[in-house]
Structure formats: structure tokens, C-alpha cells
Amino acid sequence: MKITLDPGHGQFGNPGVLAGYYEGTRVYMLAQILKRELEKYEDTEVIITRKDITDNPSLANRGGEAVRNGSELFISLHSNAASNPAAHGVSVFRSVKRPESEKLGRLLGEAVVDTMKKRTDITYLRGVMTRTESYDGEVADYYGVLRSSVKSDKVKYSFIIEHGFHTNLTECEYMFSDESLQEIAEAEAKVIAEYFGLRESGDKPKDYIEYVVKPGDTLSAIARKYGTTWRALAEYNDIKNPDLIIDGQIIKIPVSSEINIGDVVRIKADKDTYYPDGNPFPGWVKDYDYVVAKTADSRGEPVCRNGDRCVLLGNKINRKTGSHGSSINSWASIEYIEKIRAEKK
Ligand SMILES: [Zn+2]
């Protein structure tokens, strides 16, 4: 998904109560860190409205950037100001045109408050609000960045987040620390990732395989088949009554992702070749499991086929009878196989 972050103002915009604090500089840094945190997730692209710290686009161009690049989410980042130095707390403004964004606004506001409050002790959520004005007899957002961002239906979420008050000593001190910006960015990225179901890139491959229970199966029979115990499976799957498993139920079989010589592996059900772009193998190949005869880097040299690490499949094991047969002697990508059980010790 695409996300547009809009660090408010220009470089020396809005000095804080502490010398050297400028809202326009701090939120620019926050945007950079938040971009990095968000782009740790797969298929996430973050565009920042200010091309560098000195850049200070018009309000219309800030919201307009989200429209131009087709972002789903637009967030304008700020710290707040008031003439009363006691004023403090976090405010979230959402576009009046996007009532369905209320929930995400609240989650973001609460996450920022939870993070800040740990150190400031005073920060609270002033609210998730809308502020409107009449434009040509129509109700519109008072804030120009929000108003310009919702000109496209693609921009489904549009917020301003005020990260405390830079006119309040405690909150200004907080926002002045780079560690704080990192904490806030992590908290905001986490909320966004959870809300939109973003996946962390470089996710570890699943460390279990799924077994579908068939009529007549018992947990201990399944456990035997995979070289484990019914107790281990019951615990791993959170099964309260091991005598009660149902046809079609999925039992997760934990496996270690590391493949060693002597491990028993199986070619994944959706594969018809040993490795990417390899020649298709005959149908009988999948009637067997295989004992790993060699791992990819057994001599300190990675063995690869078309970029994937491979292992050498050795002796066949008939899946139905469990009987061992001769060696198949074929290299297979570790991405194309799954480990059924570890080598016998
Ligand atoms: Zn501001």
C-alpha cells in the first residue's frame, strides 16, 4: 500500500519552548523514521511531501501529493502550540469526509499517548476530532492538508496528528529526543501494520506443517508418523482432550526449519519440479518422502540451482508403507521441500 507522510511546516517553522526546537524540523525527522519503520513491511511505499528538510510545499500540494500518488493513507505530522504553557496532550484530526477513519484515528492517537505518557507522565488523548468550515455552502475540512487530500476517493484515511505541545516544557522535551521519535514511529507503524494487515518482509517461513485429520486417525498415530509424541502435538496445538480430534481438523506439526543430513523431507504439494524452472518430474516422485543425503553447504560451498539453495535427496521412503528404497539422487531447492522429521539420533 502507499502512504503519504506530511511533516508540517518548513525547517525553522514554529519554535518550541526549548531553544533549538522547531516543529518543522522535529516532525520532518519523525517522518523519515516512520517511513523507515513502515517500509519494513512488505509492499509498503511511503512518500514524504517535503522532498528535503528545507522544502515547504503549500497546504494544497501536501494533500495533493497523496491524491497524485494514489495513497490510501495520508498523515500530516505535527506538534501543537498554545499560548497557555500548561496545555498538553495529543490530538488527532480526521477528515470530516472520512467518518469510517474514526477507528484508525483513535488507535493511532492512543498508541502515541501510550508511548509518550511512559516518559512525560502527563500526556493524554484530547480526542479524535473533526474541524469544519463552510466552502461554497458545503461542509469541508477546516485544515487545508485534509481538505486537499480527500479530493480523491482513493485516499480513504486522512489525519493530522499533533504529538503533544511544543509550548509545554515536558512534551517539548520529550519530542526533542531522537529516542522519542523512534519510539513514536515504531508505535505508529505497528498500529498501521496491524490495521491494514501488512506483513513483515523477510518473514520466517512457517516452522510447522499442516496435517489434515482423516477418518480413523488418532493423535498418537499422527505423532508416530512424524516422529514426535502425542503430548508434544497436543501442547503445540493447544488440544485439551487428545482423544477428541475431528476429521478435517488441522494439526500443526512443528518442524525445525534447518535441514540436516539424515532428515526426512517431502516435496511440497504444489511443486512439480525440484527447483525453480527445473524440468517436471514423473508423478511417482511424490509418492515418496526422502532422506537428505547432502545439504547445500556440506563442503562449505553452497549448492544452488537457479539461485535457490538445494539439498540432495537420497533414499526413498514409501509414504504409504514406510518402507525404504533406493536413492533418488536429485537436488531439490530447500524452498520446494518441507521437513517431515529430523534425522534419527
Ligand atoms: Zn503544526
Side-chain angles (χ1 to χ4, degrees), residues 159-213:
F159 303 107
I160 292 173
I161 303 179
E162 299 278 4
H163 299 80
F165 281 68
H166 54 253
T167 45
N168 175 275
L169 180 61
T170 308
E171 289 188 339
C172 187
E173 243 168 14
Y174 177 84
M175 285 297 286
F176 214 173
S177 132
D178 292 349
E179 227 173 77
S180 303
L181 298 187
Q182 178 67 39
E183 284 176 354
I184 289 177
E186 282 173 15
E188 288 176 338
K190 188 164 174 260
V191 166
I192 292 165
E194 278 171 12
Y195 189 88
F196 292 100
L198 306 180
R199 284 198 310 152
E200 276 179 69
S201 37
D203 268 357
K204 278 190 300 182
K206 273 195 284 187
D207 53 0
Y208 59 84
I209 55 173
E210 291 182 343
Y211 177 83
V212 183
V213 175

Side-chain angles (χ1 to χ4, degrees), residues 209-242:
I209 55 173
E210 291 182 343
Y211 177 83
V212 183
V213 175
K214 292 167 196 63
D217 274 343
T218 63
L219 204 54
S220 51
I222 297 167
R224 245 193 329 274
K225 193 168 173 168
Y226 288 97
T228 178
T229 66
W230 68 263
R231 271 178 209 285
L233 288 186
E235 195 176 319
Y236 193 76
N237 289 275
D238 204 18
I239 294 170
K240 302 277 178 285
N241 181 356

Side-chain angles (χ1 to χ4, degrees), residues 83-100:
S83 49
N84 177 2
H88 63 280
V90 168
S91 303
V92 177
F93 293 92
R94 66 157 172 88
S95 168
V96 69
K97 306 283 191 190
R98 298 289 185 269
E100 64 284 3

Side-chain angles (χ1 to χ4, degrees), residues 20-38:
Y21 182 100
Y22 296 98
E23 178 187 353
T25 294
R26 295 312 290 167
V27 294
Y28 181 82
M29 293 181 72
L30 175 59
Q32 300 295 331
I33 301 169
L34 183 51
K35 174 183 163 76
R36 194 182 61 210
E37 289 302 320
L38 284 167

Side-chain angles (χ1 to χ4, degrees), residues 97-140:
K97 306 283 191 190
R98 298 289 185 269
E100 64 284 3
S101 68
E102 177 82 15
K103 186 184 169 195
L104 178 56
R106 185 156 298 278
L107 292 170
L108 284 167
E110 284 168 354
V112 174
V113 167
D114 286 348
T115 305
M116 288 183 70
K117 200 184 162 186
K118 274 184 209 145
R119 297 195 198 222
T120 64
D121 225 33
I122 58 169
T123 305
Y124 70 105
L125 188 59
R126 299 168 68 94
V128 180
M129 296 166 272
T130 57
R131 189 170 168 191
T132 59
E133 223 177 48
S134 177
Y135 268 84
D136 305 325
E138 240 192 82
V139 174

Side-chain angles (χ1 to χ4, degrees), residues 8-9 14 23 77-80 162 166:
H9 317 283
N14 301 354
E23 178 187 353
L77 303 165
H78 293 257
S79 57
N80 215 336
E162 299 278 4
H166 54 253

